Amino acid sequence: MAVTVVVEPAGRVCWDEPVRIAVRGLAPEQPVALRASLRDEKGALFRAHARYRADARGQLDLQRAPALGGSFSGLEPMGLLWALQPDKPFWRLVKRDVQTPFALELEVLDGHEPAGPDGGRVLARAVHERHFMAAGVRRVPVREGRVRATLFLPPEPGPYPGIVDMFGVGGGLLEYRASLLAGKGFAVMALAYYNYDDLPKGMDAMHMEYFEEALNFLRSHPEVKGPGIGLLGHSKGGELGLAVTSFLKGVTAAVIINGSVAAVGGTIYYKDESVPSVSLLRDKVKITKDGIMDVVEGLQSPLVEEKSFIPVERADTSFLFLVGQDDHNWKSEFYANEASKRLQAHGKEKPQIILYPEAGHYIEPPYFPLCRAGMHLLVGANILFGGEPRAHAVAQVDAWKQLQTFFHKHFSGKN
């Protein structure tokens, strides 16, 4: 019987969905290695491998069989995805064109020789496509006034709860989180705010009027259920999300993933008010034993420079803070706690804070591999982002569930 790799479900699978990977047709107790590889849109190669032993019937099911070593060990049915690592150091896996899938190549190799490209004879091979838009999800580019964005709508006509989605430093327009979330019954607008199209090239000045225009556009869209809308922001997008909820009205629920409660790297403006950036403490930046910058102590506290504290006490928003406790980009846990204290001191609703031990800065949709260190465009160097691969993978699966539950609860009464 020929050896075959089986991936179930066999139909269209989105990136955030788990699959069952199995191998059939092996000899009883046969030792094998599984190797996964994926090329991103720039041609960078990501790889993972693990050693296994077939059962007494010559079958191998990754939902039942523990990995015996390799890129990970133990029972990890999705390990071949979350453990992917780039051949090129400091390279982060990012999906830029959500209209095409990533193709994951799976290979079964004879024996316990997986490591190198030449290790072990290939017994079977399969290609598994992972999509970023569920069947029927609609992608609508937005150029309205100054707003530069992409709106993703579920397949059936709305209205749906509307969510504005913002990523962090790097600018441009990343759509993959919005496109996946639209498959869960939300109208999600991925919003660019600098370094894209005709938007400002830098982020030294962030004007809330731009975000106000974006909120108004989404709120007035015929397929968006008003009056309140949601906001999802990671990193700099989380910082700006806190500013949006502080200065502007109409955000019912906001999820802040590893965000800052201080203005960082630029001044936030709204009408005649401004929140200046906290000072950089260059002498507090460390270099790890691997020669990577660790900047976690490199920002002055907004408790010292109080003018840089975003005035979250003005917000009439329900907040969920998702925090990686090993975030080395900045002090996400401290920022979430200080935001919570300030809100409660002013009689506002206590935010929900979920802490993820050993999770780093880039908490992405499920199964994205950990980016532990990489280029930070504001710093201009490779920095430590933190995280341990397995704990970070567990955090991403949970965070994705938590944010959907939170938004559903606030917009439809569904728990």
Side-chain angles (χ1 to χ4, degrees), residues 43 65 110 123 171 285-286 305 328:
D110 190 16
L123 303 175
V285 173
K286 299 188 180 80
E305 296 179 355
H328 280 257

Side-chain angles (χ1 to χ4, degrees), residues 35 47 107 109-110 113-122:
R35 185 167 64 196
R47 293 192 277 194
E107 293 176 306
L109 306 173
D110 190 16
E113 299 296 326
D118 13 330
R121 184 167 56 90
V122 177

Side-chain angles (χ1 to χ4, degrees), residues 242-323:
L242 288 174
V244 165
T245 58
S246 302
F247 288 109
L248 308 175
K249 297 289 175 219
V251 178
T252 302
V255 177
I256 308 297
I257 306 173
N258 286 335
S260 165
V261 79
V264 176
T267 303
I268 294 167
Y269 296 95
Y270 185 59
K271 297 188 173 167
D272 56 355
E273 292 188 85
S274 63
V275 182
S277 174
V278 284
S279 304
L280 303 180
L281 305 175
R282 296 185 192 281
D283 56 329
K284 295 288 180 76
V285 173
K286 299 188 180 80
I287 303 292
T288 70
K289 61 181 189 305
D290 303 322
I292 302 162
M293 288 173 80
D294 184 352
V295 302
V296 74
E297 299 288 344
L299 295 173
Q300 182 57 276
S301 167
L303 300 184
V304 175
E305 296 179 355
E306 292 185 11
K307 285 181 180 168
S308 297
F309 201 121
I310 295 164
V312 289
E313 67 277 5
R314 300 185 193 178
D316 289 309
T317 303
S318 297
F319 288 104
L320 168 61
F321 288 89
L322 300 173
V323 174

Side-chain angles (χ1 to χ4, degrees), residues 397-415:
V397 170
D398 188 70
W400 192 237
K401 284 187 188 138
Q402 295 282 359
L403 69 86
Q404 291 176 55
T405 300
F406 179 79
F407 282 131
H408 277 304
K409 181 176 93 176
H410 285 283
F411 289 117
S412 56
K414 271 170 41 187
N415 285 315

Side-chain angles (χ1 to χ4, degrees), residues 127-150:
V127 175
H128 164 55
E129 289 191 342
R130 298 187 68 80
H131 293 261
F132 288 83
M133 291 172 68
V137 165
R138 294 166 286 160
R139 178 182 178 274
V140 185
V142 176
R143 283 180 67 96
E144 267 317 302
R146 288 177 298 171
V147 178
R148 302 292 174 261
T150 307

Side-chain angles (χ1 to χ4, degrees), residues 57-251:
R57 294 175 306 155
Q59 300 203 5
L60 175 64
D61 180 347
L62 269 56
Q63 289 185 342
R64 293 205 298 262
L68 307 173
S71 303
F72 56 92
S73 57
L75 190 63
E76 297 292 345
M78 294 296 286
L80 288 169
L81 256 179
W82 62 250
L84 287 167
Q85 281 299 294
D87 280 6
K88 186 178 178 179
F90 309 119
W91 196 257
R92 176 179 157 218
L93 184 63
V94 173
K95 189 74 177 87
R96 299 195 183 275
D97 177 6
V98 298
Q99 297 176 95
T100 60
F102 268 146
L104 184 75
E105 185 174 40
L106 297 165
E107 293 176 306
V108 185
L109 306 173
D110 190 16
H112 280 8
E113 299 296 326
D118 13 330
R121 184 167 56 90
V122 177
L123 303 175
R125 186 180 275 125
V127 175
H128 164 55
E129 289 191 342
R130 298 187 68 80
H131 293 261
F132 288 83
M133 291 172 68
V137 165
R138 294 166 286 160
R139 178 182 178 274
V140 185
V142 176
R143 283 180 67 96
E144 267 317 302
R146 288 177 298 171
V147 178
R148 302 292 174 261
T150 307
L151 178 61
F152 291 90
L153 296 164
E156 302 298 323
Y160 297 98
I163 298 170
V164 173
D165 181 24
M166 298 188 292
F167 274 90
V169 168
L173 181 55
L174 293 177
E175 300 177 350
Y176 59 86
R177 191 167 58 199
S179 65
L180 289 169
L181 206 47
K184 317 295 180 189
F186 300 102
V188 192
M189 186 168 80
L191 180 66
Y193 54 88
Y194 88 105
N195 195 25
Y196 177 77
D197 198 16
D198 55 356
L199 294 175
K201 289 287 171 256
M203 40 181 232
D204 45 337
M206 285 289 152
H207 294 276
M208 288 294 106
E209 287 83 354
Y210 173 76
F211 299 90
E212 192 167 34
E213 210 176 310
L215 292 185
N216 289 338
F217 168 79
L218 187 61
R219 195 181 291 116
S220 62
H221 194 282
E223 291 205 51
V224 171
K225 191 190 293 181
I229 57 175
L231 189 147
L232 172 58
H234 169 257
S235 191
K236 181 73 180 180
E239 171 201 324
L240 291 169
L242 288 174
V244 165
T245 58
S246 302
F247 288 109
L248 308 175
K249 297 289 175 219
V251 178

